[in-house]
Amino acid sequence: MSSKKKLVEICHKVYLNGFVAAYDGNISCRTSNNTLLITRSGVCKGDVSEKDIVEIDLNGNNFIGKQKISTEHKIHLYAYQKRKEVKAVVHCHPTYATAFALIGQGLDNHYLPEVFLTIGKVPLCKYATPSTDGVHKSLDPYINYSWAMLLQNHGAVTLGISLDDAYFKMEKLEHAAKIILLARLIGKPKELSKKNINDILKISKKVYGIIPDKRNI
């Protein structure tokens, strides 16, 4: 499958799963030529087709056509500039995760082993006016190691080594946020203990092929 087709597929998934509404969100991937494919501005992700995908360089310049790129393209550029292993970026407004961002809380505590291993801590980035340089600069404290971040009063960003990886991190983030919220409504969620975490770390490479970044634990 071509990168454009895959990007379209992921756009449709985030819309069908309710991670975005109307024209919200933006998704991108890095090409083998080190350019970016990103959704254009003002298009519903449920309606995206290949003609709605814009190719830009790492400075944000269009290669073909004059379509307006997503207003939050600087988030994507920043992630690719900072981390060579990042091949895809998904920015959405998922309901439950964004609810935490609205009350000024990151998902910093470890409750679920699979979330701890695949995403780690999900920090809260300070509020910045959408589409301004302040948004991508708000990622600064975490961009070098985090795979998922909440944007205060805005939404969420996930990074991945592929489009599927970035998408599934967004899906897992939203699922975890929903579980944690529901748990809080019926009681007090019990965090994983230090022993629980250390036990997971001991087997993470052998069993799951994952070596979590210590900065993200």
Side-chain angles (χ1 to χ4, degrees), residues 192-204:
L192 295 173
S193 67
K194 288 185 178 179
K195 182 182 185 306
N196 295 151
I197 291 172
N198 286 331
D199 287 345
I200 295 168
L201 290 174
K202 288 176 183 177
I203 66 170
S204 62

Side-chain angles (χ1 to χ4, degrees), residues 7 11 14 20 29 55 59 80 191:
L7 189 51
C11 285
V14 299
V20 292
C29 66
E55 186 174 7
N59 294 314
Y80 296 122
E191 294 180 45

Side-chain angles (χ1 to χ4, degrees), residues 167-184:
Y167 166 76
F168 284 127
K169 282 182 168 65
M170 182 64 70
E171 189 174 90
K172 191 173 288 287
L173 167 62
E174 177 67 344
H175 190 230
K178 183 177 182 179
I179 291 171
I180 293 167
L181 176 60
L182 290 174
R184 287 185 180 183

Side-chain angles (χ1 to χ4, degrees), residues 71-75 127-138 154:
T71 54
E72 298 294 3
H73 69 280
K74 293 176 183 178
I75 294 175
Y127 177 77
T129 304
S131 79
T132 68
D133 289 345
V135 178
H136 71 266
K137 289 179 179 178
S138 74
H154 188 159

